[in-house]
Amino acid sequence: MKKTFTTLFLFLFGGSAYYCIELLYRQKSHFSMFCAGGLCFLLIDNMQQKIGGNTPLWVRCTLGSIIITTVELFTGCIVNLWARWNVWDYSHCQFQLWGQICFRCSVLWVFLSGVAIGFSNFFRKIIPYFSLPRHPAIRKKP
């Protein structure tokens, strides 16, 4: 139950954070960006839990950028190319692929990954202090 709570919390935080970043930057967003942001935050948190603090921060941020760029590519292929929702288009950018990802944004994701890693560390420190209420019917019997 605690793992489900943690996963849901991290997904909702990542989705909300990215949705808000989009609103601040572009003055608009799309529900697919909420889903992509939540998935990215979960994957970055998972990466952070696996390779931890012994790996230099620049390596973790670079891996985070690769994670975000990959999720962005797959999301873009689904929502922009397949469903034709036209949520974003990088075709005007230099070093872009199918208009779905571009080098400039991948560099920005390095810095965003650093922020995500910081939040991941913070949440992993405070989440154990939350105790989920248990209904009497599901308590373990002695």
Side-chain angles (χ1 to χ4, degrees):
M1 180 74 165
K2 194 155 200 148
K3 185 175 179 177
T4 302
F5 168 77
T6 301
T7 302
L8 181 61
F9 175 80
L10 294 174
F11 179 82
L12 292 174
F13 175 80
S16 299
Y18 190 72
Y19 194 86
C20 288
I21 289 169
E22 282 251 303
L23 288 177
L24 289 171
Y25 182 71
R26 298 187 333 150
Q27 289 79 44
K28 64 179 181 173
S29 192
H30 190 264
F31 79 90
S32 61
M33 295 295 87
F34 179 90
C35 297
L39 178 60
C40 287
F41 193 72
L42 282 176
L43 293 172
I44 289 172
D45 176 70
N46 190 300
M47 179 259 314
Q48 178 66 9
Q49 299 307 307
K50 298 255 189 272
I51 65 173
N54 292 335
T55 306
L57 181 60
W58 71 268
V59 172
R60 291 180 281 151
C61 289
T62 302
L63 290 172
S65 175
I66 292 168
I67 289 169
I68 295 171
T69 301
T70 303
V71 170
E72 184 178 38
L73 176 62
F74 282 106
T75 303
C77 286
I78 293 168
V79 303
N80 293 329
L81 301 179
W82 182 68
R84 300 194 189 282
W85 290 342
N86 301 320
V87 179
W88 73 87
D89 181 11
Y90 294 139
S91 60
H92 64 280
C93 298
Q94 230 179 357
F95 308 114
Q96 53 86 21
L97 179 63
W98 305 321
Q100 304 313 302
I101 57 173
C102 70
F103 180 74
R104 177 181 54 101
C105 288
S106 291
V107 171
L108 290 174
W109 302 152
V110 172
F111 300 103
L112 184 63
S113 294
V115 173
I117 288 166
F119 275 109
S120 169
N121 289 338
F122 173 73
F123 290 138
R124 288 296 178 163
K125 286 178 184 166
I126 67 165
I127 284 175
Y129 295 107
F130 291 100
S131 62
L132 297 174
R134 291 188 133 180
H135 190 276
I138 59 172
R139 287 192 184 149
K140 291 183 180 178
K141 295 182 181 178

